Amino acid sequence: MFSSLWIKATITLLLVALIVMGSCKMMKMAGCGGRKPRPPRPPRIVTVGPFDVIAVGSGASLTVKSGRRGERQVTLQGISAPATGQWVEVSRKHLEEMAGATVTVQYEKHGFRSESDESKDETVESRGPLTGTIIGASGINCNESQVAGGYADCDDAAPKSLQKAKAEAVKAKRGIWSAK
């Protein structure tokens, strides 16, 4: 059927191909050859809105009307509001008061920007909830207001302004820190 010479030639060719592919991969892993990857661009701060507030779901999220796209979930970045206990409704109500009827959202946009992005209006991405800093109708930073008033805690990786607001709320025993 197959001659032994043909089988030997095929095996030899396959071995050579594997060796060449392996050495190319090793060179790339070692940083040799090929194009050097571009370093990622620093994130851009993008402001979107204003959005009409439809509902405040918790002390750390709200639902907004997002133009033709309908409703959109917006999460306050860097904070976590109480999920159980007496402070749940108080936290939600405070966010509702601070946000007002309309809000804008500032968030970090990662990735690369193409030429076509320059001419387009910034719009909310269509994937998942939008997470960022909520600026209320009166211009107040809702993220900081929630933490400073003791209506929410901030994450360890939160910006320094939130960490400072938390430290002041803990020291003054405001809101969720009053019983601790």
Side-chain angles (χ1 to χ4, degrees):
M1 184 146 192
F2 292 108
S3 69
S4 64
L5 182 60
W6 186 84
I7 292 173
K8 287 179 183 178
T10 303
I11 290 173
T12 304
L13 185 61
L14 286 172
L15 286 173
V16 168
L18 286 172
I19 291 170
V20 169
M21 286 175 28
S23 65
C24 288
K25 190 171 186 174
M26 293 296 281
M27 287 178 66
K28 284 182 182 177
M29 287 173 59
C32 304
R35 289 180 25 202
K36 291 185 179 178
R38 287 193 292 180
R41 287 187 181 188
R44 296 182 297 140
I45 302 297
V46 176
T47 302
V48 291
F51 298 113
D52 293 330
V53 176
I54 296 172
V56 178
S58 72
S61 69
L62 41 92
T63 304
V64 297
K65 180 164 176 28
S66 179
R68 292 177 284 192
R69 295 182 180 188
E71 295 181 2
R72 182 71 194 250
Q73 184 75 25
V74 182
T75 304
L76 281 71
Q77 183 176 16
I79 74 166
S80 57
T84 60
Q86 67 182 20
W87 291 101
V88 175
E89 185 60 23
V90 175
S91 177
R92 189 195 69 75
K93 205 68 161 153
H94 183 259
L95 178 58
E96 188 173 52
E97 291 171 8
M98 292 300 102
T102 59
V103 296
T104 56
V105 181
Q106 294 177 344
Y107 70 99
E108 291 182 355
K109 186 172 184 177
H110 298 271
F112 297 101
R113 183 170 35 181
S114 66
E115 298 293 325
S116 61
D117 286 346
E118 295 294 330
S119 61
K120 293 180 185 175
D121 291 335
E122 294 289 351
T123 58
V124 178
E125 293 178 351
S126 61
R127 300 179 301 267
L130 179 62
T131 302
T133 300
I134 310 297
I135 307 299
S138 63
I140 203 159
N141 180 328
C142 294
N143 300 43
E144 285 185 21
S145 177
Q146 285 291 87
V147 174
Y151 300 104
D153 192 0
C154 68
D155 303 334
D156 292 337
K160 289 181 182 179
S161 61
L162 289 179
Q163 297 287 347
K164 182 179 177 186
K166 176 185 175 178
E168 291 172 2
V170 169
K171 185 176 180 182
K173 296 188 178 194
R174 286 188 218 121
I176 60 175
W177 309 111
S178 63
K180 296 180 180 183

